[in-house]
Amino acid sequence: MPTDFRPAFGERVRERRMRLKLSQEALAERAELHWTYISGIERGVRNPGLNVLMRLAAALETPLAALLSDLDRHPQRKSSRKH
């Protein structure tokens, strides 16, 4: 089964957001997204595309590479999706 990196990515986004002392709503406004979408990313249920990833990185004032680096070193859960 493929590994699901969404939860680890969501934790990374949450950590950076909290470091900047932003609410989900404030981050959503900066990234021009809906706050429920930010919530879904942080909970690991959304799978954002490249454009959203770039907007999140800019809103979090961090390079995209920093958001994505070493995600494979965090605990992961197996995807329940069937291929």
Side-chain angles (χ1 to χ4, degrees):
M1 248 188 259
T3 302
D4 189 358
F5 293 100
R6 294 175 304 171
F9 178 74
E11 288 175 31
R12 177 82 45 88
V13 169
R14 179 180 289 124
E15 289 168 1
R16 301 230 183 234
R17 175 179 63 77
M18 294 183 81
R19 191 174 300 149
L20 291 172
K21 297 181 171 131
L22 295 172
S23 65
Q24 287 180 341
E25 292 86 357
L27 176 58
E29 186 174 315
R30 282 183 173 199
E32 298 180 359
L33 298 167
H34 196 274
W35 72 268
T36 58
Y37 193 79
I38 298 294
S39 174
I41 290 171
E42 290 187 359
R43 288 181 289 117
V45 297
R46 291 286 191 167
N47 191 24
L50 181 58
N51 290 333
V52 170
L53 292 174
M54 296 297 290
R55 289 177 9 201
L56 279 173
L60 291 167
E61 303 171 4
T62 189
L64 179 56
L67 288 178
L68 299 175
S69 68
D70 298 326
L71 288 180
D72 57 340
R73 294 189 183 169
H74 293 295
Q76 307 154 11
R77 58 182 168 208
K78 298 292 183 177
S79 174
S80 61
R81 293 177 70 190
K82 295 183 181 177
H83 296 280

